[in-house]
């Protein structure tokens, strides 16, 4: 029977997902994370000598799937970080988001502009903004490690749950500005981007609060089974994203704001149960994206050179750590804690999606530079943060446990739910 499916690709992806659910817990004990595993499988099956699948980095299907996955995860991550609960200890996470993230983008822009000679400043800003947000899934191993003080785990959890959504307007604005300048039409795209962000935020508020209201009504009326609420939440997450796109607005901002509005309307237990299915679907989709990233990685890195390597290393180390250190001035956190938070800023799915968006929007030459810088930064992060998470968390935990109990690290806080990891339950 004739059909349009690439059944070989589908079979390989399905086998990889099934294999990870069966042995992933064992691999994680050896510091092999899901992103590492799926990137390696994608790299192996798409290149010589096997060459079993052929995935194009410019594929519209790849970008569509990646964007939908990010929208689902933006909703669940934002919903998990309940703003009402966060108010009790918002100081450090707020500093990382309001001060640390913009400084990371600013320092990254300077680094990109200095390294990639002749690159437009707006394109340099696109690179910096794309690799600025941290990934909740890649940071889950540290966030769930009991060796690390609860307040620090909560801080990393909140930062990674919110900063990809906060970074979205920066990426959108910089891409619009770059396209505007490079196409000699100043202002038009930038003004449109600002409007898109505003409409996207308004759409997100309407969908998030509307979803919360409807779920409360049907629960009280007994019109829907509890088992279907998770499916409804996933549907609302996709709805917010899709409606914003239909309105010509930013779908990522809509999904993110919808998650914030939805999560803040419920108590922790009720919210976590409702968003679990959404989070699990998003996680499985993210595995597929990591597989596809591995499959297209060699193509994405074709434009990489020594400058790309220097930028990627700098983005993961001095750029991030310096921004975090400045953002956390006067918090009285131990220098080792500041360094720990600065190091554990893994880059992941959001950066990949932002890189693909920039690759499509910019000209071929600039697009390839952006994609190579983003891809190499993410690749180095997957390996470095994946391998170092468990041992460094234990060492840091042991060191900070010996400090005075009055230090800020030891302040008791209420834990927030982390993104589900299907292999560990």
């Amino acid at each position: 029977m004739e059909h349009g499916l690439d059944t070989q690709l589908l079979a390989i992806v399905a086998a990889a997902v099934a294999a990870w659910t069966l042995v992933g817990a064992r691999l994680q004990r050896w510091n092999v994370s899901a992103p590492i595993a799926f990137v390696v499988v994608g790299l192996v099956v798409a290149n010589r000598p096997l060459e079993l699948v052929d995935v194009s980095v410019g594929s519209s299907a790849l970008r569509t799937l990646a964007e939908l996955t990010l929208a689902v995860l933006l909703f669940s991550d934002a919903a998990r970080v309940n703003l009402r609960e966060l108010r009790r200890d918002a100081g450090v996470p707020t500093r990382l988001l309001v001060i640390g993230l913009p400084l990371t983008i600013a320092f990254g822009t300077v680094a990109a502009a200095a390294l990639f000679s002749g690159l437009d400043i707006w394109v340099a800003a696109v690179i910096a903004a794309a690799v600025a947000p941290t990934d909740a899934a890649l940071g889950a191993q540290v966030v769930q490690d009991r060796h690390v003080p609860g307040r620090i785990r909560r801080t990393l959890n909140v930062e990674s749950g919110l900063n990809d959504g906060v970074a979205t307007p920066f990426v959108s604005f910089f891409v619009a500005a770059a396209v505007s300048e490079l196409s000699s039409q100043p202002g038009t795209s930038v003004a449109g981007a600002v409007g898109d962000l505003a409409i996207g935020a308004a759409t997100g508020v309407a969908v998030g609060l509307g979803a919360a209201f409807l779920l409360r009504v049907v629960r009280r009326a007994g019109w829907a089974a509890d088992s279907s609420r998770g499916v409804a939440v996933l549907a609302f997450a996709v709805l917010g994203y899709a409606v914003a796109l239909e309105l010509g607005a930013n779908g990522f901002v809509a999904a993110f704001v919808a998650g914030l509005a939805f999560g803040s309307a419920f108590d922790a237990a009720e919210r976590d149960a409702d968003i679990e299915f959404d989070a699990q679907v998003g996680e499985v989709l993210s595995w597929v994206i990591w597989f596809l990233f591995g499959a297209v990685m060699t193509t994405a890195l074709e434009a990489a050179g020594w400058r790309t390597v220097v930028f990627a290393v700098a983005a993961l180390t001095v750029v991030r750590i310096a921004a975090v250190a400045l953002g956390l001035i006067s918090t009285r956190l131990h220098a080792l804690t500041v360094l720990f938070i600065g190091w554990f800023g893994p880059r992941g799915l959001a950066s990949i999606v932002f890189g693909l968006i920039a690759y499509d929007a910019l000209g071929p030459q600039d697009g390839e530079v952006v994609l190579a810088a983003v891809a190499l930064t993410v690749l180095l992060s997957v390996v470095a943060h994946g391998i170092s998470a468990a041992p460094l968390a234990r060492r840091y935990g042991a060191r900070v446990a010996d400090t005075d109990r009055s230090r800020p690290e030891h302040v008791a806080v209420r834990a927030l739910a982390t993104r589900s990891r299907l292999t560990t339950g």
Side-chain angles (χ1 to χ4, degrees), residues 232-286:
V233 172
L234 174 63
F236 281 118
V238 176
L239 179 65
Y241 172 71
V243 169
L245 293 184
E246 281 296 309
L247 295 175
N250 192 298
F252 297 136
V253 169
F256 176 70
V257 174
L260 287 176
F262 179 86
S264 296
F266 296 97
D267 59 43
E270 189 177 18
R271 177 202 65 226
D272 293 344
D274 287 343
I275 66 174
E276 182 62 22
F277 182 71
D278 176 79
Q280 289 185 338
V281 170
E283 188 171 7
V284 173
L285 288 174
S286 73

Side-chain angles (χ1 to χ4, degrees), residues 103-114 121-129 174 311 319:
L103 284 177
T104 300
I105 294 174
F107 295 162
T109 301
V110 172
I121 189 64
W122 290 114
V123 178
V126 169
I127 296 175
F174 294 149
F311 173 82
V319 168

Side-chain angles (χ1 to χ4, degrees), residues 391-413:
L392 287 187
R394 286 193 295 268
R395 289 191 179 188
Y396 164 72
R399 289 283 299 276
V400 80
D402 293 334
T403 61
D404 192 307
R405 303 305 294 180
S406 65
R407 293 200 63 85
E409 286 86 348
H410 301 297
V411 172
V413 295

